[in-house]
Amino acid sequence: MFDLSGTRDLLLHGGQLELGFQRLHHTDVKRIFKKLGREPPPEKIQPPRKCRRLNKSQTIVRLIMWGNNINDDGAVYISEMLKQNDTLRELVIFNNHIGIASNGLLKADPLTNKGKLRIAEALRYNSTLQMIAIDGPRLHFCKPPYLDPSLGLSLPRFDPEVGKAFRNALEESESAIESIQIGNVVDDPNFHQWETTLQKCENLHSLGSECISVRANKKLMRWRAINALKARKVTREGNADEFISTVSTAVQYGVIDVVYYLMRNNVGFISK
């Protein structure tokens, strides 16, 4: 049985399990995700004594494990869990395998592309996860002196193969993903192909980046807005109250693309 009673700071409330900066390794991850994969009662994961009064029927829907030592071996267990679990909604595992170099300075050795590709493949079999963050994009916006080699900090460039793997996984499955963070997608040489992914995946509306390059892409921003306000779902279900509410919200925030989409695709519905 995996015992977390020795961790420094564990939060388990409202379906959230916080395991950030707990120095967890892939062997720890194996025990945690094997349990999540089989979806056992959460009391099987032993929290500190102060948390053991929690409702035994509580289900973990948000798991935060950033800032640990999870490498590609840990990605194996993460991917297997994602294939089996149907209750987890948010998974945050960015900034992993980051620690202190021998010279006492910050170093970064995140999950490699091999681990990321394995996780991407697992998303093909998961239809309930809504948010996944495996590489915090903000790290990639660091400017000198934060990327000064003397600091011992080096971060990988965005690999187009990783981007392609995640795009294909989302497009070719019944994905519920609304937000995805896999690095700075604007560095992807095939960044324009994310427009197609947003068009095909009606739940997806956040790529983890809000930089100028994203906002300058009008087609991408159009589909982001349509997906964020669930305009396609509203059109498909034909509920008058939902239609009016969504149009009102779009008008309120000045999202003209959504108003136009709803009006154009609901002509028959409006005329009734």
Side-chain angles (χ1 to χ4, degrees), residues 25-38:
H25 293 265
H26 71 272
T27 51
D28 302 319
V29 173
K30 177 180 180 180
R31 297 188 181 97
I32 294 172
F33 284 113
K34 272 194 170 183
K35 294 179 183 300
L36 284 174
R38 293 198 300 267

Side-chain angles (χ1 to χ4, degrees), residues 199-218:
Q199 185 174 355
K200 290 183 177 180
C201 304
E202 67 174 66
N203 294 308
L204 181 64
H205 58 82
S206 174
L207 302 178
S209 176
E210 298 296 334
C211 70
I212 295 176
S213 298
V214 172
R215 295 187 176 277
N217 188 314
K218 293 183 179 180

Side-chain angles (χ1 to χ4, degrees), residues 21 23 67-69 97-109 151-153:
F21 288 98
R23 299 180 181 178
N68 286 292
N69 297 303
H97 218 42
I98 295 180
I100 305 299
S102 58
N103 58 3
L105 298 175
L106 184 65
K107 68 175 182 179
D109 182 21
L151 294 178
L153 175 60

Side-chain angles (χ1 to χ4, degrees), residues 81-239:
M81 179 277 296
L82 288 174
K83 292 177 181 178
Q84 301 176 50
N85 185 281
D86 61 1
T87 58
L88 193 66
R89 296 295 180 267
E90 299 182 20
L91 176 62
V92 180
I93 54 174
F94 62 77
N95 290 14
N96 261 290
H97 218 42
I98 295 180
I100 305 299
S102 58
N103 58 3
L105 298 175
L106 184 65
K107 68 175 182 179
D109 182 21
L111 287 171
T112 70
N113 293 332
K114 179 181 178 181
K116 294 175 183 178
L117 291 172
R118 186 180 290 274
I119 294 173
E121 179 63 23
L123 290 181
R124 293 175 178 272
Y125 305 92
N126 188 294
S127 60
T128 54
L129 192 70
Q130 297 174 347
M131 189 276 275
I132 183 168
I134 66 172
D135 199 352
R138 290 181 178 82
L139 285 174
H140 297 267
F141 288 112
C142 291
K143 297 180 180 180
Y146 302 108
L147 289 183
D148 188 328
S150 65
L151 294 178
L153 175 60
S154 60
L155 294 165
R157 298 288 293 178
F158 189 92
D159 190 315
E161 288 302 312
V162 171
K164 180 180 179 180
F166 276 94
R167 286 197 307 272
N168 289 344
L170 298 182
E171 293 176 17
E172 298 169 6
S173 65
E174 297 180 3
S175 173
I177 293 290
E178 298 179 358
S179 175
I180 185 170
Q181 294 183 21
I182 56 174
N184 192 11
V185 294
V186 296
D187 284 343
D188 188 347
N190 302 310
F191 175 61
H192 65 282
Q193 294 184 11
W194 284 96
E195 301 168 5
T196 302
T197 303
L198 283 162
Q199 185 174 355
K200 290 183 177 180
C201 304
E202 67 174 66
N203 294 308
L204 181 64
H205 58 82
S206 174
L207 302 178
S209 176
E210 298 296 334
C211 70
I212 295 176
S213 298
V214 172
R215 295 187 176 277
N217 188 314
K218 293 183 179 180
K219 183 177 179 181
L220 187 146
M221 290 300 293
R222 174 176 180 267
W223 285 110
R224 276 190 58 180
I226 290 172
N227 292 352
L229 291 180
K230 307 292 184 184
R232 284 186 273 189
K233 179 183 178 183
V234 170
T235 298
R236 185 170 58 251
E237 295 181 351
N239 183 289

Side-chain angles (χ1 to χ4, degrees), residues 11-14 47 50-58:
L11 298 177
L12 179 56
H13 62 277
K50 63 181 180 180
C51 294
R52 292 181 186 173
R53 62 180 181 274
L54 293 169
N55 187 332
K56 292 184 178 182
S57 65
Q58 185 180 33

